[in-house]
Amino acid sequence: KAGVTQTPRYLIKTRGQQVTLSCSPISGHRSVSWYQQTPGQGLQFLFEYFSETQRNKGNFPGRFSGRQFSNSRSEMNVSTLELGDSALYLCASSPQGISTEAFFGQGTRLTVV
Amino acid sequence: EDQVTQSPEALRLQEGESSSLNCSYTVSGLRGLFWYRQDPGKGPEFLFTLYSAGEEKEKERLKATLTKKESFLHITAPKPEDSATYLCAVQGNNAGNMLTFGGGTRLMVKP
């Protein structure tokens, strides 16, 4: 059974640009959550999608957005990139609407220069 | 607001030297407490979910326990391959599938 797949693995972008990251959850999983991981702040919740609807949102500016497609695949977008957006972006998938299982992908390492 | 604090931030052990990692939490209605292992440059790897005080779970050299305020991850006779960052997270009853993470404990096991 394939795990959570995130693409691309690495990205280098320039300040002011925008970026789109992709996450394919484990087959059959319907909930996708996104997290930002930095050395200073640790793992912080960005948002969660279930059945194409955003159910929860963390304390991040509106430059961070996401969506989920009917096949449960999810994308997150960051517009007007800032140096502080450099981080490891992680996606986690869960099988049900409310679940105590969450499995992470390998992440996308975003570097903003 | 849910909060998770892990201690120590870093721990150096000799191979075979058992120890425990601490995770203190406050949450409005605990649905689950999670332990993950994370290797450098990789995503967190799921280890355990604990649901209620008094519960214990084991996997190889790892044993996780839960009280109403804390969880401990006991590592028995660790090996160098156990070196990693161990993350604790909580999920509250009103949080959907959102996890609130602690800062992690970086474990280094020397041969």
Side-chain angles (χ1 to χ4, degrees), chain A residues 9-112:
Chain A
R9 289 294 313 278
Y10 303 93
L11 267 177
I12 300 176
K13 290 286 187 179
T14 304
R15 267 185 307 175
Q17 287 186 313
Q18 74 166 17
V19 66
T20 299
L21 312 181
S22 178
C23 171
S24 293
I26 293 170
S27 178
H29 285 199
R30 296 170 60 196
S31 168
V32 173
S33 298
W34 288 89
Y35 293 82
Q36 181 195 66
Q37 187 174 31
T38 59
Q41 299 297 319
L43 266 155
Q44 292 186 290
F45 173 77
L46 281 157
F47 27 67
E48 179 203 356
Y49 286 88
F50 177 72
S51 292
E52 302 178 62
T53 301
Q54 186 181 88
R55 181 160 64 179
N56 256 319
K57 189 176 190 318
N59 192 23
F60 279 83
R63 299 185 297 106
F64 292 81
S65 63
R67 59 177 175 169
Q68 187 180 33
F69 302 96
S70 58
N71 62 357
S72 293
R73 190 177 71 85
S74 178
E75 290 181 346
M76 69 163 281
N77 183 276
V78 188
S79 62
T80 319
L81 284 166
E82 301 176 359
L83 295 179
D85 297 333
S86 296
L88 181 66
Y89 289 88
L90 292 159
C91 165
S93 81
S94 300
Q96 301 157 10
I98 299 295
S99 175
T100 50
E101 293 180 298
F103 301 94
F104 283 83
Q106 296 285 50
T108 294
R109 170 72 63 186
L110 172 65
T111 302
V112 183

Side-chain angles (χ1 to χ4, degrees), chain B residues 25-57:
Chain B
Y25 66 92
T26 56
V27 63
S28 54
L30 178 70
R31 185 185 305 135
L33 183 141
F34 296 66
W35 281 99
Y36 287 88
R37 168 194 170 125
Q38 187 175 28
D39 293 299
K42 296 191 174 182
E45 175 191 344
F46 174 79
L47 293 174
F48 307 107
T49 307
L50 301 169
Y51 298 95
S52 57
E55 188 175 4
E56 299 182 352
K57 287 193 175 174

